[in-house]
């Protein structure tokens, strides 16, 4: 270093302190959550894995107020609704295994876990591993309890059919808007006798009266299943194809989404197959030509401030990705949705 005076100043300030000593007020707030006893913090690979390293509180499922939580992180390990490769039932476990996500959101300058009471409350209890219909009845009943307790549910699937039954809970009193990032619109009809498959939850949600199509935007759509999605267009959903993203640019997409979603309640649903398989090969229905992980994060960060009342990350099938990159992307997106929900929670509280 050529500036010897500055070097001596740096040596005097930083030369003999522990790594946990941080001077900047913003960074210091984060460090105080992480470091215990000077420079010691929990090893990333230690202890039981949980979603976003949140406290593990499966006991709150039995409490009427869910332990007074603000946000519940929930696993939904069910993939009986897939139309292609199975395996998303292992998604929650794979996302739990990801460490090094948070606690600081450096773009938004947020430490969401310090502003809300959050816990991983375990998985939805299912009565039968064999019945798709009973699994959806279990999901709907469970999330109605969560919503009735005033808790924001953030979920990890599981296949995308789970979102339809979650919407039956969060949209029970009024239809909600939806920020939907996916390769597929998922608005097809009954398929081989089933109304619960992962290709059709959002047609069903509109017809059930829980989803407002005029306040729904679907981003990243592409692939050979386009002919199945006429309901999206006829119902009034806004569809942005993956091929349009480069030309429009992320800032324009963010502004369009703000206009569509407005100030009402919004549910955020992220299918990991929205990402190009180069970033997320571990999914049941991969589609070439998808979004980059950076584009998705920019969209979510740009939309922080929406009135988010719930969200999910779905379709992680870890057995198709030996690198764990797919689960890592899913965990980071879950963290971004967590930030969005905490921002919305603070706004509702006037904070």
């Amino acid at each position: 270093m050529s500036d010897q005076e500055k070097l001596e100043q740096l040596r005097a300030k930083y030369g003999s302190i522990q790594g946990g000593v941080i001077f900047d007020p913003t960074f210091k707030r984060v460090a105080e959550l992480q470091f215990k006893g000077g420079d010691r913090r929990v090893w990333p690979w230690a202890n039981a894995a949980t979603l976003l390293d949140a406290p593990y509180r499966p006991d709150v499922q039995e409490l009427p107020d869910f332990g007074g939580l603000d946000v519940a992180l929930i696993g939904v390990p069910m993939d009986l609704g897939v139309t292609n490769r199975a395996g998303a039932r292992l998604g929650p476990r794979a996302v739990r295994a990801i460490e090094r996500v948070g606690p600081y959101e450096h773009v938004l300058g947020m430490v969401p876990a310090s502003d809300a009471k959050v816990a991983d409350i375990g998985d939805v209890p299912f009565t039968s591993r064999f019945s798709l219909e009973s699994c959806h009845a279990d999901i709907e009943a469970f999330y109605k309890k969560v919503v009735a307790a005033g808790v924001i549910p953030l979920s990890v699937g599981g296949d995308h059919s789970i979102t339809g039954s979650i919407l039956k809970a969060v949209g029970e009193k009024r239809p909600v808007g939806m920020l939907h990032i996916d390769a597929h619109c998922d608005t097809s009809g009954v398929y081989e006798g089933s109304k619960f498959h992962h290709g059709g939850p959002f047609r069903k949600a509109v017809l059930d009266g829980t989803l407002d199509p005029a306040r729904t935007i679907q981003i990243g759509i592409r692939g050979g299943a386009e002919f199945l999605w006429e309901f999206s267009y006829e119902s009034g959903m806004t569809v942005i194809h993956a091929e349009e993203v480069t030309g429009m640019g992320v800032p324009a997409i963010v502004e369009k989404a703000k206009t569509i979603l407005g100030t009402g309640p919004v549910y955020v649903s992220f299918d990991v197959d929205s990402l190009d398989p180069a970033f997320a090969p571990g999914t049941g229905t991969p589609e070439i030509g998808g979004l980059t992980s950076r584009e998705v994060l920019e969209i979510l960060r740009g939309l922080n401030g929406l009135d988010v009342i719930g969200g999910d990350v779905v379709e992680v099938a870890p057995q198709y990705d030996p690198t764990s990159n797919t689960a890592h992307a899913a965990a980071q997106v879950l963290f971004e949705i967590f930030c969005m929900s905490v921002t919305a929670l603070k706004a509702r509280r006037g904070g």
Side-chain angles (χ1 to χ4, degrees):
M1 187 171 186
S2 59
D3 187 338
Q4 288 299 309
E5 183 179 352
K6 184 172 182 179
L7 177 58
E8 290 305 319
Q9 291 174 349
L10 291 173
R11 283 172 172 166
K13 185 173 182 178
Y14 291 101
S16 60
I17 63 172
Q18 295 175 313
V21 177
I22 307 292
F23 297 100
D24 180 275
T26 300
F27 296 157
K28 183 177 181 179
R29 180 179 176 222
V30 185
E32 287 174 347
L33 296 172
Q34 296 296 297
F35 291 101
K36 307 297 181 186
D39 61 353
R40 298 185 60 81
R41 57 178 172 163
V42 176
W43 295 347
W45 57 87
N47 301 320
T50 66
L51 295 171
L52 302 185
D53 288 330
Y56 188 52
R57 293 289 310 280
D59 56 295
V60 305
Q61 292 193 21
E62 305 303 321
L63 304 176
D65 67 346
F66 280 78
L69 293 178
D70 297 311
V71 179
L73 305 175
I74 306 165
V76 194
M78 194 284 296
D79 65 356
L80 297 178
V82 298
T83 56
N84 195 34
R85 303 186 300 187
R89 68 183 63 183
L90 302 178
R93 182 168 291 182
V95 175
R96 285 187 171 104
I98 300 298
E99 60 281 340
R100 297 197 54 76
V101 173
Y104 185 51
E105 213 302 342
H106 73 284
V107 175
L108 300 176
M110 290 184 64
V111 189
S114 68
D115 292 320
K117 188 176 180 182
V118 61
D120 180 339
I121 68 169
D123 295 340
V124 173
F126 290 111
T127 55
S128 172
R129 74 187 70 184
F130 304 109
S131 170
L132 176 60
E133 290 74 16
S134 73
C135 284
H136 277 277
D138 293 337
I139 293 168
E140 180 181 342
F142 182 81
Y143 280 85
K144 283 183 175 178
K145 287 172 54 181
V146 175
V147 172
V151 180
I152 298 173
L154 300 182
S155 312
V156 178
D159 71 61
H160 217 158
S161 71
I162 71 169
T163 309
S165 292
I166 296 172
L167 287 170
K168 291 290 289 290
V170 300
E172 182 178 24
K173 294 182 178 179
R174 74 287 185 244
V176 300
M178 182 173 66
L179 171 61
H180 176 205
I181 303 177
D182 201 329
H184 312 101
C185 287
D186 294 347
T187 50
S188 66
V190 174
Y191 188 73
E192 295 181 4
S194 177
K195 62 182 180 180
F196 289 118
H197 62 89
H198 70 169
F202 304 127
R203 178 190 295 199
K204 185 176 182 299
V206 170
L207 298 179
D208 286 340
T210 61
L211 178 64
D212 182 354
R215 295 186 57 244
T216 294
I217 184 166
Q218 302 181 297
I219 303 170
I221 308 305
R222 63 192 186 277
E226 174 72 20
F227 68 97
L228 295 172
W229 313 138
E230 67 178 3
F231 185 85
S232 287
Y233 303 104
E234 186 164 349
S235 65
M237 297 181 183
T238 298
V239 179
I240 298 178
H241 291 87
E243 296 80 13
E244 300 176 79
V245 172
T246 301
M248 290 183 66
V250 169
I253 291 171
V254 167
E255 290 307 310
K256 190 173 187 67
K258 288 179 179 178
T259 300
I260 297 298
L261 296 167
T263 59
V266 174
Y267 188 86
V268 181
S269 189
F270 172 78
D271 188 325
V272 78
D273 70 22
S274 63
L275 296 172
D276 190 272
F279 299 92
T283 191
T285 314
E287 298 279 6
I288 292 297
L291 305 177
T292 69
S293 52
R294 185 166 59 194
E295 286 169 337
V296 168
L297 296 182
E298 287 179 6
I299 290 169
L300 294 173
R301 288 164 176 159
L303 291 170
N304 190 49
L306 295 174
D307 186 17
V308 173
I309 45 79
D312 60 52
V313 174
V314 298
E315 299 286 353
V316 176
Q319 64 271 45
Y320 306 119
D321 181 3
T323 70
S324 78
N325 285 348
T326 305
H328 201 150
Q332 185 65 50
V333 169
L334 179 66
F335 182 66
E336 301 300 330
I337 300 174
F338 178 35
C339 289
M340 297 172 79
S341 67
V342 171
T343 298
L345 180 68
K346 291 171 67 177
R348 288 194 291 272
R349 291 175 173 174

